[in-house]
Amino acid sequence: MSMTDPIADFLTRIRNASMASHRWVDVPASNLKVRMAVLLKLEGYIKDFVLVEDPIQNILRMYLRYTPDGKPVFASLQRVSKPGRRHYVNAGQLPRVRNGLGIAILTTSRGVITDKQARRERVGGEVLCYIW
């Protein structure tokens, strides 16, 4: 299966699984997706993740988090930079998602980091997505 935007697929699978109240979601693994899963775990949007080894394509299994009343801990997962239109920002233009309540995930020269880390390190890059 050919996929033009694996990050949008990653976010859509998480969004769909959380709306269906699934305990976990499986996505095809890549180094970028694993790093994004690390950030989602550190920020508290998922419980945990496991890399399932497979000879053809490794699978990234993410265990989703919900509030005590059964709602997902995030309200929105929004793709910003797309294959047809990339969105780059410098250190002075870093976005504040929901006035600091959400996060933006960026790819920078220092790796895949959140907007808060990018602000601390004074580095810009490509804005992948907003999560709040």
Side-chain angles (χ1 to χ4, degrees), residues 1 6 13 15 29 31 34 37 39-40 46 48 82-83 87 91-92 98 100 102-103 108 112 114 118 130 132:
M1 180 174 112
R13 286 180 192 231
R15 187 181 312 114
N31 290 337
V34 169
L39 292 177
L40 289 175
I46 62 173
D48 202 5
K82 300 174 182 172
H87 184 75
R98 293 288 170 139
I103 63 168
T108 67
V112 181
T114 64
Y130 295 150
W132 70 85

Side-chain angles (χ1 to χ4, degrees), residues 22-41:
H22 289 256
R23 288 187 38 211
W24 70 81
V25 61
D26 290 341
V27 296
S30 70
N31 290 337
L32 177 62
K33 291 177 191 175
V34 169
R35 184 63 185 138
M36 288 178 70
V38 168
L39 292 177
L40 289 175
K41 182 180 176 186

Side-chain angles (χ1 to χ4, degrees), residues 11 36-37 41 65 73 85 89 94-95 111 115 120 131:
L11 297 172
M36 288 178 70
K41 182 180 176 186
R65 253 182 95 191
V73 292
R85 181 174 172 123
V89 294
L94 288 169
D115 59 326
R120 265 194 309 258
I131 301 170

Side-chain angles (χ1 to χ4, degrees), residues 10 13-14 17-18 22-27 59-64:
F10 173 80
R13 286 180 192 231
I14 296 171
S18 67
H22 289 256
R23 288 187 38 211
W24 70 81
V25 61
D26 290 341
V27 296
I59 302 291
L60 182 63
R61 178 169 289 168
M62 293 179 288
Y63 296 92
L64 304 175

